[in-house]
Amino acid sequence: MSSPCQPATLAELAEAVRSAPRVIAVGAGTKPRLAQIAGSCMRISTAKLTGFIEYEPSEFTFTALAGTPVREIAAILAERGQYLPFDPMLGEAGATLGGTVAAGVNGPGRWRYGGLRDFILGVRFVDGAGRVLRMGGKVVKNAAGFDLPKFFVGSAGRFGVLGEISFKVFPRPAATRTLRLRAADDAARVQILTAGAAARWELDAIDAALDEPAVYARLAGPEPALGGLAAEILGRFPGEELPPDEARERWRAVGEFAWAPPGGSLVKLVITPLQLPEVAAWVRVQEGARAWCSAGGNVVYVARPAGAAWPASPWPGLRLRGDGELWLGPRRSYAVQEAVKATLDPEKRFPGLEE
Amino acid sequence: MSSSAYSPVLRRLVALLPAGRVLTGPAQLAAYESDGLTAFHARPLAVVVPETQEETIAVVRFCHAEKLPFVARGSGTSLSGGSLPVPDGIVIALNRLNRLVRLDPAQRVAVVEPGIVNLAVTAAAQPHGLHFAPDPSSQPVCTIGGNVAFNAGGAHCLKYGMTSNHVLGLKAVLATGEVVEFGGPSREQIGPDWTGLFVGNEGLFGVALEVTLQLLPRAECFHTVLAGYATLEQAGDAVAAVVASGLLPGAIEIMEKLALEAATAAVHAEYPPGCEAVLIVELEGPREVVAVERGRLEEILAASQPVEIRPARDAAERMAIWKGRKSAFSAVGRLSPDFIVQDGVVPRRRLGEALRKINTWSREMGIRCANVFHAGDGNLHPLILYDGRVDGALQQAEELAGRILRMCVEMGGSITGEHGIGVEKRDYLGVMFAPEEVDLLRRLRAAHDPFGLANPGKMFPESSAPALAQSGLHPLEKSGVISRE
Ligand SMILES: Cc1cc2nc3c(=O)[nH]c(=O)nc-3n(C[C@H](O)[C@H](O)[C@H](O)COP(=O)(O)OP(=O)(O)OC[C@H]3O[C@@H](n4cnc5c(N)ncnc54)[C@H](O)[C@@H]3O)c2cc1C
């Protein structure tokens, strides 16, 4: 029998939840701030809750245990020519499927077809009373019951421990091309981001670097179609196509936050494309800050060296790593949120959202 | 009616609002007695027609204070009895709360009030090359509020998702009277997805007041192919082959023989002769991509033993294919005085088996049943025909519907893909979910609505059955404004 803190089955997971007055689930610890709780709180590791429960390539669906590393999932899907189009983040660092859902962090590919919330189909989870419950379904389309699976995206382990998660997948495009487009300043970045979003090209990803005058655009689809599209884009915005190795390395760096100073703090800020200049200016006045803008200008990740003090953020944010408050910026709270918390976690076994 | 004739609670309600907002005349109420599931009807105490968000909030707070049940209503096209009134409560009709609050083409976002019609959003976005992706067949009349409440779908769900996938944020007044704002104009968010939890609540949490929608650029190029097959199995196998090929079509639809005949009669659609089933596949994207993929699609279809393949050669031929498809249900409906549309989902690989079972039962029970469905996502839409004037016919039709729903759950699917549970499928919630899961759903509802005032009698199994009535096509279908999908 495994230790109570490393359950290997859903029944053991439920038992682990019931075994302590305060608990929090942890995956691979790649977004440690989410599970950094003051006071005593038992950590339940999902390290042994791994593997596929089912995978039906012909259905475009799979169900896996929450502790399964997203890297393994990507590899198995790739064998059948499929993928999770939102580019799950921190795969090399070992990120788990459950931790990815709980953190609600999407990669650059979320631009085209949507993020975690758009591909999650169902969950089996343990609520604060230690019950194993299932919501949603395993088929690509389902409207029965309230959409609790979506609610769990970004829920930070505060409402339940995810045990098993079902996702929709898509066929993987046969080829990709990455273009580095010159963006002299923030106005140019915004111009390329919004023009790229509206154009006929159906970009697969479009991200802006903030400490290099560039926007990176990725095309994905059948190889013979991409050359013409790339040429047209480069005709409109000066730049160059990256050789395949360099392109792979570029997106790997984005997906692993390789550009962030090690040991420092890392924050996700939610913005809209037209806010980018303001956000970029805010970042630049902070000492040692580095940042990357993803998802067509809808999110900025900001990293700072350890110990650096953060000014108040005008944009809503979530701290993934480092010390300091979990949520940044303006927040709204409502009585119904307390009521939903009490429904899923009547004894407050999981930390509150504010902890 | 003079206000002195109102009951005390209605008098207080009338006093709360500007003149003319509260309808109580029998003729006025009659229009709200049913929704798209015409087998059910109920007369509410009154219909309130608010014109502003403030008025709507005031009405919901009034209901909360008075413990008065209410049913929010958009255009009343629900096919599951979702907007069926409750006899001891009021209807809040939202059609006049329908402003386009903000259109932001650069960031591709529209902020709308719930009474706006689905197609009106796309109409506003079109000059900027944008559209609102969810396209239920009822889109010329159904409202965004109804789409949000039911997480409505359409023909493009496999690739683009349902309504929820296009709702970035919303403002609502909950049944407790609390006004909440979730999400916002960004495509990214932090924290639990409160917006996602609200969408699909079937009107049981409260009333949506304002919805932030993402808009998508319209695809540059479409390629639509119609293929006829001698057997339904072959059409099903063709779907499997298309899906296995790595293509991601915007739509994959199948129509069975009875539906083909009906569409031929109703809108003069033309199909290859001698076919039991027709498959429609539509590719979309930049022209270079479609040019490559259409070749691949043609190879796959050619190898699938079709009777005939007919690619649309131009926009007019494409429209004709879709016209036949979108009119199919109303067309079948004209073959029969009454019908029920089911909406279960099965794993795609079991479509053939599911259809065989439905056809066997329909033969055994002597009930005609036509199938037109979203094959790409396994979403069946069997149309069960009956004559409500014949004693026991509705019960027979419901018996067949029930068998189909149980089959969907047994196959690992769902009792509803897009039409919601409403009144119609509430007895089957417990077939899909375990008792403690149904209990969780009830408790989640109670967290938003402790007194059960918002749309009571829907989604959850209850002892009291609503009144049954007999009738035919939805009035809007009779007049040809909409058709069922
Ligand atoms: C001919 C026909 C074809 C159809 N085709 C499709 C299809 O292809 N795909 C599909 O998914 N559906 C389809 N439907 C079903 C129906 O059109 C959809 O469910 C639609 O979303 C309902 O919109 P409505 O405005 O008519 O809402 P109503 O029927 O008025 O209400 C539906 C539900 O929403 C609630 N509601 C309405 N407004 C609000 C609000 N502001 N706040 C909170 N709750 C609210 C109501 O209480 C009710 O529970 C079809 C219906 C018909 C009659």
Side-chain angles (χ1 to χ4, degrees), chain A:
Chain A
M1 161 110 188
S2 55
S3 97
C5 295
Q6 280 209 356
T9 65
L10 261 65
E12 288 177 12
L13 180 66
E15 202 182 305
V17 168
R18 287 192 299 263
S19 72
R22 274 172 57 83
V23 302
I24 183 87
V26 291
T30 59
K31 296 154 291 263
R33 176 61 189 87
L34 271 70
Q36 204 168 297
I37 310 297
S40 83
C41 186
M42 188 179 89
R43 293 161 74 85
I44 302 176
S45 162
T46 58
K48 290 190 176 164
L49 271 175
T50 61
F52 274 62
I53 309 278
E54 53 187 70
Y55 173 30
E56 292 289 350
S58 67
E59 300 297 328
F60 288 1
T61 57
F62 75 84
T63 301
L65 287 166
T68 314
V70 293
R71 180 188 49 211
E72 273 173 33
I73 290 170
I76 289 169
L77 297 178
E79 280 171 24
R80 308 301 296 263
Q82 297 184 336
Y83 76 139
L84 284 167
F86 51 84
D87 294 341
M89 298 288 271
L90 292 163
E92 281 180 22
T96 64
L97 189 62
T100 301
V101 171
V105 176
N106 296 304
R110 75 94 57 228
W111 171 246
R112 184 158 190 191
Y113 296 117
L116 285 150
R117 76 184 301 267
D118 302 297
F119 285 85
I120 193 165
L121 299 173
V123 293
R124 204 184 278 273
F125 69 101
V126 179
D127 74 356
R131 286 176 289 222
V132 180
L133 298 161
R134 184 182 52 99
M135 280 290 135
K138 289 184 171 181
V139 278
V140 293
K141 197 173 186 186
N142 168 33
F146 305 129
D147 201 345
L148 211 52
K150 266 199 192 61
F151 175 77
F152 274 114
V153 175
S155 65
R158 266 57 175 179
F159 296 83
V161 183
L162 299 169
E164 211 180 278
I165 314 172
S166 301
F167 268 96
K168 169 166 110 170
V169 299
F170 272 172
R172 192 184 184 77
T176 63
R177 291 190 185 214
T178 297
L179 311 177
R180 178 165 46 215
L181 307 173
R182 268 194 290 290
D185 53 19
D186 291 326
R189 287 185 177 88
V190 170
Q191 210 243 320
I192 299 173
L193 289 174
T194 50
R200 70 178 193 89
W201 311 315
E202 297 195 2
L203 294 173
D204 185 52
I206 181 162
D207 279 21
L210 292 191
D211 44 16
E212 149 193 25
V215 167
Y216 289 85
R218 188 169 72 201
L219 285 162
E223 173 58 35
L226 301 187
L229 287 168
E232 182 176 310
I233 297 170
L234 291 172
R236 175 124 177 238
F237 300 109
E240 70 264 308
E241 184 176 336
L242 299 191
D245 285 352
E246 204 181 315
R248 206 171 307 117
E249 183 45 33
R250 164 47 61 197
W251 296 114
R252 193 199 69 86
V254 174
E256 298 297 323
F257 297 110
W259 49 269
S265 59
L266 177 67
V267 159
K268 168 183 174 176
L269 295 181
V270 166
I271 70 161
T272 67
L274 298 185
Q275 292 173 339
L276 179 61
E278 233 181 305
V279 180
W282 182 81
V283 170
R284 286 191 191 105
V285 297
Q286 296 183 48
E287 206 188 317
R290 300 200 64 193
W292 182 265
C293 173
S294 193
N298 286 280
V299 63
V300 170
Y301 291 99
V302 185
R304 297 200 62 195
W310 287 72
S313 165
W315 302 278
L318 166 69
R319 189 181 311 272
L320 302 172
R321 291 180 191 160
D323 297 329
E325 77 262 85
L326 182 59
W327 309 100
L328 288 78
R331 304 205 58 214
R332 297 178 289 228
S333 63
Y334 302 107
V336 69
Q337 297 175 322
E338 288 302 314
V340 169
K341 169 76 174 167
T343 301
L344 289 164
D345 183 21
E347 292 153 42
K348 295 208 161 67
R349 225 180 263 275
F350 308 119
L353 270 180
E354 303 309 321
E355 294 180 61

Side-chain angles (χ1 to χ4, degrees), chain B residues 116 146 179 231 256 281 341 357 433 437 481:
Chain B
I116 194 169
V179 175
T231 69
E256 253 194 318
V281 184
V341 185
K357 282 193 174 174
F433 293 105
E437 290 155 1
V481 178

Side-chain angles (χ1 to χ4, degrees), chain B residues 53-364:
Chain B
Q53 298 186 26
E54 292 69 31
E55 287 174 19
T56 313
I57 294 167
V59 172
V60 172
R61 289 187 172 159
F62 175 85
C63 289
H64 180 71
E66 302 269 351
K67 306 283 172 289
L68 180 66
F70 63 91
V71 178
R73 185 174 173 115
S75 296
T77 63
S78 161
L79 291 172
S80 57
S83 42
L84 180 73
V86 280
D88 54 347
I90 62 166
V91 166
I92 305 178
L94 294 152
N95 309 75
R96 287 194 212 154
L97 189 66
N98 63 350
R99 287 178 311 143
L100 173 67
V101 178
R102 194 160 67 83
L103 182 70
D104 179 349
Q107 304 191 95
R108 295 185 298 115
V109 167
V111 180
V112 303
E113 288 181 336
I116 194 169
V117 165
N118 172 302
L119 207 52
V121 178
T122 285
Q126 221 149 24
H128 308 280
L130 301 170
H131 74 297
F132 177 59
D135 64 338
S137 315
S138 50
Q139 72 182 151
V141 287
C142 69
T143 65
I144 293 297
N147 295 168
V148 165
F150 269 178
N151 194 12
H156 296 83
C157 294
L158 180 65
K159 188 167 178 182
Y160 294 106
M162 327 253 295
T163 296
S164 194
N165 306 103
H166 302 272
V167 174
L168 302 176
L170 50 83
K171 176 180 172 191
V173 53
L174 303 179
T176 53
E178 183 175 42
V179 175
V180 296
E181 284 184 55
F182 300 136
S186 178
R187 273 145 180 90
E188 278 284 319
Q189 56 173 9
I190 50 163
D193 193 341
W194 297 99
T195 308
L197 180 60
F198 189 91
V199 178
N201 76 69
E202 299 203 8
L204 272 64
F205 286 178
V207 181
L209 299 170
E210 206 173 276
V211 190
T212 303
L213 304 172
Q214 88 167 354
L215 303 172
L216 296 184
R218 193 160 270 293
E220 179 191 19
C221 181
F222 295 92
H223 179 65
T224 312
V225 182
L226 185 146
Y229 294 88
T231 69
L232 191 59
E233 268 77 9
Q234 288 171 330
D237 290 346
V239 172
V242 170
V243 164
S245 72
L247 292 173
L248 183 60
I252 309 179
E253 305 277 314
I254 287 183
M255 297 169 71
E256 253 194 318
K257 189 161 187 190
L258 189 52
L260 296 175
E261 287 168 4
T264 305
V267 297
H268 310 294
E270 280 180 44
Y271 299 103
C275 292
E276 280 292 318
V278 151
L279 170 68
I280 299 167
V281 184
E282 184 164 275
L283 300 170
E284 53 181 62
R287 58 180 181 271
E288 296 88 338
V289 173
V290 173
V292 176
E293 292 184 340
R294 64 183 285 173
R296 185 118 182 71
L297 178 63
E298 264 145 39
E299 280 166 31
I300 295 162
L301 293 182
S304 67
Q305 297 171 296
V307 173
E308 195 182 327
I309 301 179
R310 291 186 183 169
R313 282 164 302 190
D314 53 34
E317 289 190 0
R318 171 174 176 252
M319 289 321 293
I321 291 176
W322 278 112
K323 188 173 176 198
R325 166 63 186 87
K326 294 221 169 191
S327 72
F329 268 5
S330 306
V332 176
R334 289 193 185 92
L335 304 177
S336 166
D338 300 281
F339 56 97
I340 321 178
V341 185
Q342 278 304 311
D343 168 47
V345 182
V346 297
R348 207 169 16 219
R349 67 185 183 287
R350 300 188 71 172
L351 270 174
E353 185 189 345
L355 292 164
R356 247 189 332 270
K357 282 193 174 174
I358 294 173
N359 287 341
T360 308
W361 291 330
S362 121
R363 257 195 319 276
E364 280 169 14

